[in-house]
Amino acid sequence: MQNTTETDDGPEKFTAVQTLGTTGITHRAVGPTESRSASRLWWDADADDYQAAHGDFLGDVRFRWCPEGLTEDTAGLLGPVAGRDVLEVGCGAASCSRWLATQGARPVALDLSAGMLRHAAEANARSGVSVPLVLADAGELPFPDASFDVACSAFGAVPFVADSAAVMREVHRVLRPGGAWVFATTHPLRWAFPDDPGPEGLTVYHSYFDRTPYAEFDDDGRITYVEHHRTLGDRVRELVAAGFALTDLVEPEWPDGHQEVWGQWSPLRGALVPGTAIYVCRRL
Ligand SMILES: C[S@@+](CC[C@H](N)C(=O)[O-])C[C@H]1O[C@@H](n2cnc3c(N)ncnc32)[C@H](O)[C@@H]1O
């Protein structure tokens, strides 16, 4: 979900770009502290626009995995959730957690951004399905060991942290043995293509193997937005090293008739290349 100050993303992202004074784009090393601070800045500044642009599609009480629209009630990637303790990592407005609550789970929704959690609190009140909200970093989960049966994330946290291996280790720590960890990210292949939903987005322009983070910055060189790329192999190695078994890798196909354009995700590109990777893992 890269942003750009160069192409027209519409009203979405414009406010955050202006508020944060973003003036340029680069690929450069960004460490954990700088990355955390940039993500907090960005998601707080972008929260209102993000929810205005995607809130209807995401719903107040709905578990969507990705811009392709796949929902947990059709995919069933988490396994049975009734009666289970579930952690949602990078929850945004926490619509997934509210859906989980309606299925009999005991969800906890965690996010780094107070702006996003403000929307989560409003949606709790609006929907009448209230889930616990926790302000914290995915790399330092404020829970005792073995607190949860299931952990999940729909594009939350993992693409935005410098040390995603540390997130994998933290999720492993807070899961009980045998617990499920299922998370969606931008498909790693998309890194090689421009962040553009149209024909411009169909030509390889960047090395898939270049892990240097994509970053936006202001006039003082402060990072205002960052995304970290891992190849498919990197991700599998991180998971295995943390103590997970990868049991499935879901690449949702673009559904016939689905017209929703979300950033770089569009019917045009969705028909040709995968946009989302969902890693289905079990804690050993
Ligand atoms: C693309 S949004 C996805 C939110 C939600 N899952 C959805 O589908 O709308 C990414 C979310 O990850 C959160 N996030 C980014 N870095 C994080 C971190 N280090 N720890 C926890 N949450 C983080 C952001 O604040 C944001 O709410």
Side-chain angles (χ1 to χ4, degrees):
M1 295 202 183
Q2 295 169 24
N3 303 289
T4 174
T5 53
E6 288 176 346
T7 62
D8 178 13
D9 271 332
E12 189 205 355
K13 298 171 181 160
F14 188 64
T15 309
V17 165
Q18 279 206 318
T19 306
L20 301 178
T22 301
T23 50
I25 293 170
T26 186
H27 281 84
R28 78 148 167 89
V30 182
T33 306
E34 195 177 18
S35 196
R36 185 165 44 245
S37 132
S39 288
R40 212 174 254 135
L41 277 176
W42 174 266
W43 291 106
D44 280 352
D46 192 48
D48 291 352
D49 284 353
Y50 182 92
Q51 297 304 333
H54 305 301
D56 284 351
F57 178 67
L58 293 170
D60 275 348
V61 186
R62 185 180 294 145
F63 195 133
R64 277 208 199 275
W65 280 109
C66 50
E68 288 84 354
L70 183 69
T71 55
E72 176 58 13
D73 60 351
T74 53
L77 302 179
L78 299 177
V81 294
R84 310 274 160 101
D85 296 305
V86 184
L87 173 64
E88 184 185 3
V89 180
C91 63
S95 52
C96 299
S97 284
R98 278 186 296 279
W99 180 83
L100 287 163
T102 65
Q103 305 304 302
R106 290 183 297 273
V108 174
L110 174 143
D111 203 282
L112 180 71
S113 161
M116 284 296 209
L117 290 183
R118 182 169 42 76
H119 282 277
E122 287 168 12
N124 271 353
R126 190 168 55 234
S127 64
V129 183
S130 202
V131 297
L133 306 173
V134 175
L135 180 66
D137 179 6
E140 291 174 28
L141 297 173
F143 308 108
D145 296 357
S147 299
F148 297 97
D149 303 299
V150 175
C152 59
S153 183
F155 283 82
V158 175
F160 307 107
V161 296
D163 189 356
S164 49
V167 173
M168 303 306 157
R169 289 193 297 273
E170 272 296 84
V171 173
H172 184 274
R173 182 183 66 73
V174 303
L175 275 176
R176 298 178 183 126
W181 169 218
V182 186
F183 63 98
T185 68
T186 305
H187 197 289
L189 187 61
R190 286 277 173 110
W191 191 252
F193 295 90
D195 191 17
D196 187 318
E200 297 287 310
L202 295 176
T203 305
V204 169
Y205 85 123
H206 192 85
S207 169
Y208 168 80
F209 299 104
D210 180 4
R211 279 82 157 177
T212 315
Y214 167 93
E216 299 176 2
F217 55 87
D218 68 9
D219 273 342
D220 298 323
R222 179 185 66 159
I223 301 296
T224 54
Y225 179 86
V226 63
E227 267 189 55
H228 299 265
H229 169 58
R230 297 287 179 274
T231 66
L232 220 40
D234 292 340
R235 198 62 85 201
V236 172
R237 281 184 289 277
E238 277 181 358
L239 286 164
V240 170
F244 288 101
L246 181 69
T247 58
D248 199 359
L249 177 62
V250 179
E251 297 164 295
E253 295 192 26
W254 196 269
D256 286 345
H258 181 44
Q259 292 304 323
E260 182 92 10
V261 174
W262 177 323
Q264 59 158 288
W265 285 261
S266 64
L268 174 73
R269 302 178 85 205
L272 300 171
V273 278
T276 296
I278 308 178
Y279 304 80
V280 184
C281 315
R282 189 147 302 278
R283 183 205 191 281
L284 299 174

